[in-house]
Every structure is written in C-alpha cells, then in structure tokens.
Amino acid sequence: MLRRNSFRLPRHPASVGLARRRVRDHLADWGHGDGEPALEDVVLVVSELATNVVRHGPLLEREFEVAVTALADGSCLVEVSDEGMAVPRLREVGQWEENGRGLQLVDHLAAAWGVWSRGRHGKTVWALMGMP
C-alpha cells in the first residue's frame, strides 16, 4: 500500500523541528514505532533537508514543502521542495568546521538521493530511505 502526506511550512528555523515532528507523527500513524532506528534516520534526513531550505533557500520564499511517502516495499521516500534553483552538492568539510555536513549525513543514511528540477518553480531534493 502506498501512503503519502505532504505539508507546507514557513521558511523559518522553527519549521525544521515542526517538519521532524509531523513526519514522525505520520510514520507512527502508519505503524512505525517510536525509537525504530529506521524511523530516526528518516526524521534526521527530513531535518537536514529542511535545514538546507531554511539556510540556503531564496530569501523571498515564504514557504517550502515536505512530503513523505511510505512505499509498498516498506521503504520511504522523503521530498523537500523549494523555489531555489541552486542544486545542493556534497562538499568536503574540514575537521573543525561547524557546518556543511548535512548532505553527507543524507548520503550516508539514504539508499539513494538526488534532485529533481521543477523548472521555473525550483527543485525537489529527495531521499529514498529503507524502513523495517
């Protein structure tokens, strides 16, 4: 069975925590127990992708969209969309740098991830996550 939920949030730092809570709640409603390592990985990836929108998204953008889809094979597709055109890329980060590791976490935790262009409407960063 395929289940999808999407929601829009204001482009504000407080929305990152709200995105985590809403995704956790949706997955719990779909039968994933709190504290499951796979659920925690999905929540962490949502947090990182939402943080990127808040920090690096277009200054005039007021909202961004988060979508989570539970797929029939038990995996989960996470999508975070914004109106920005810049494609996020993995980057090398120095040992003592405090920022810049978010996509490295996504790359490590996700089975696959990438970016879909939405033409003049921006982009969607997606991550395919395994679930138990």
Side-chain angles (χ1 to χ4, degrees), residues 71-88:
L71 303 172
D73 67 356
S75 61
C76 180
L77 180 66
V78 171
E79 300 165 88
V80 177
S81 302
D82 68 24
E83 295 178 10
M85 299 299 180
V87 176

Side-chain angles (χ1 to χ4, degrees), residues 106-123:
V106 172
D107 189 57
H108 178 74
L109 295 173
W113 73 276
V115 181
W116 291 320
S117 172
R118 294 175 31 213
R120 66 175 195 234
H121 301 290
K123 67 181 173 303

Side-chain angles (χ1 to χ4, degrees), residues 23-87:
V23 166
R24 182 184 307 277
D25 290 347
H26 290 303
L27 291 174
D29 288 346
W30 297 340
H32 296 285
D34 202 25
E36 286 180 13
L39 178 112
E40 298 304 322
D41 289 349
V42 170
V43 171
L44 179 56
V45 165
V46 166
S47 183
E48 293 301 331
L49 297 180
T51 297
N52 281 351
V53 170
V54 169
R55 286 190 177 170
H56 306 294
L59 294 177
L60 297 178
E61 183 174 22
R62 294 202 161 134
E63 293 183 320
F64 64 99
E65 184 175 22
V66 177
V68 60
T69 306
L71 303 172
D73 67 356
S75 61
C76 180
L77 180 66
V78 171
E79 300 165 88
V80 177
S81 302
D82 68 24
E83 295 178 10
M85 299 299 180
V87 176

